[in-house]
Amino acid sequence: MNTKKFSTAMNEISDKYITEALDYRKTGLQQGWVKWSAAAACLAVILTALLASLSDYLNGATPISPNDHDRFLANHYNQNILSSESAHPTTIHIDKQGIFINEVTALADAAFPYAWTDPEQYDRIILDRAGTADYYGKDLTPAYIPAGLSAGCGNGTADVVMEKNGTVVWDTAYLCFYHDYYEDGSPKLTEDIAATKGFSLTASRTGLLSDCVYILSENDVITSDIGGTAVTFGYRSMSYGPYDSQTHEPSGYYDMYVAEFNFEDIEYQLIANQMELEDVVTIVASIIYGNAEIVIDP
């Protein structure tokens, strides 16, 4: 540190603060040791501002004026907190024993009520990535994507139907993450198992049209709690071909998991094929917890 830089940094402290500190000292001589405490506190504030200004000046930053010093200290504190959280992300532990799996019998799609929209009553539009993020208030891409899976080319867009007055009557966003794709963009089947490998994620603010049918009645389906969000997990063993021409037996079976939940006024449905349950739970948790580190405890 040279004399010129130190002198310049000292000049950033207003005379008003120095005068106030001296006044505290004079008052303290008359009113006792309580006022000395106030003077010490005032001097401490001055020293804090001085050190902050000096440090920023020596590092090439714009000096902070005394009038902004409280705001600077608050921002500096917040930046330290954010930096600390970024360097050491929150770790969320999820007990696998608390994840309940319901048996799925089928996936049903309800009839689309606006398949033949009257252009005089409704507008049907496709939102681009920016429009989709603005409509849903976030990027719908999960923070966790299992290794080996990649996003589909249409991810980040949404289909919306609205009345002429601007009221949205239906919306859906569809994202997919699979191991590979055909030239037309559809998910590719794996070589050893004639099925897709990866997951699709559907989101809607007005309510999803597809529905998962469970063996148990709606009142008996068990939900799992993830961060205060009730998530319904489902499972079905899926067959794949080629099928024996005589017995009609499949070549084998693969796992299909389903997860359905409502989070921040958005309804989600995740369908995963040829994936481990731990990955499915982690994907759901990453939608709820964001960039936190998710650990599934056995």
Side-chain angles (χ1 to χ4, degrees), residues 34-171:
V34 175
K35 296 301 183 179
W36 273 102
S37 299
C42 186
L43 289 172
V45 170
I46 294 174
L47 290 175
T48 300
L50 171 60
L51 292 175
S53 299
L54 181 60
S55 174
D56 284 347
Y57 182 83
L58 295 178
N59 288 317
T62 302
I64 304 299
S65 67
N67 292 334
D68 291 336
H69 122 274
D70 287 338
R71 177 175 57 81
F72 167 78
L73 291 179
N75 290 341
H76 184 66
Y77 172 80
N78 291 335
Q79 289 171 3
N80 284 343
I81 295 298
L82 292 175
S83 176
S84 176
E85 291 179 349
S86 176
H88 304 285
T90 302
T91 300
I92 302 298
H93 289 266
I94 297 177
D95 184 1
K96 189 177 179 181
Q97 302 303 315
I99 302 299
F100 304 100
I101 307 299
N102 303 275
E103 190 169 352
V104 174
T105 60
L107 292 174
D109 288 329
F112 177 49
Y114 303 98
W116 297 277
T117 54
D118 183 349
E120 304 219 351
Q121 298 184 44
Y122 303 100
D123 290 321
R124 186 171 183 177
I125 60 175
I126 302 297
L127 298 177
D128 60 12
R129 294 176 186 275
T132 299
D134 182 64
Y135 175 75
Y136 290 100
K138 65 173 75 175
D139 180 356
L140 295 174
T141 303
Y144 172 76
I145 305 296
L149 303 183
S150 59
C153 59
N155 283 16
T157 60
D159 194 358
V160 175
V161 175
M162 63 176 62
E163 296 176 345
K164 290 298 183 179
N165 61 9
T167 301
V168 175
V169 294
W170 176 84
D171 73 273

Side-chain angles (χ1 to χ4, degrees), residues 162-226:
M162 63 176 62
E163 296 176 345
K164 290 298 183 179
N165 61 9
T167 301
V168 175
V169 294
W170 176 84
D171 73 273
T172 186
Y174 180 82
L175 299 86
C176 60
F177 301 86
Y178 290 98
H179 87 290
D180 202 359
Y181 300 87
Y182 294 109
E183 290 184 2
D184 64 357
S186 60
K188 200 171 188 177
L189 306 183
T190 54
E191 294 182 3
D192 53 339
I193 296 176
T196 59
K197 183 177 182 179
F199 71 96
S200 65
L201 181 66
T202 310
S204 174
R205 285 196 177 277
T206 58
L208 297 173
L209 296 179
S210 60
D211 193 16
C212 188
V213 181
Y214 301 95
I215 288 181
L216 296 175
S217 66
E218 183 177 349
N219 293 332
D220 294 327
V221 169
I222 304 174
T223 61
S224 305
D225 185 297
I226 298 183

Side-chain angles (χ1 to χ4, degrees), residues 101-102 104-107 212 234-238 253-258 270-275 280:
I101 307 299
N102 303 275
V104 174
T105 60
L107 292 174
C212 188
Y235 170 82
R236 185 180 182 186
S237 180
M238 302 291 291
Y253 295 85
Y254 65 90
D255 296 328
M256 181 193 75
Y257 287 101
V258 177
L270 183 152
I271 301 176
N273 293 320
Q274 297 193 68
M275 291 179 57
V280 176

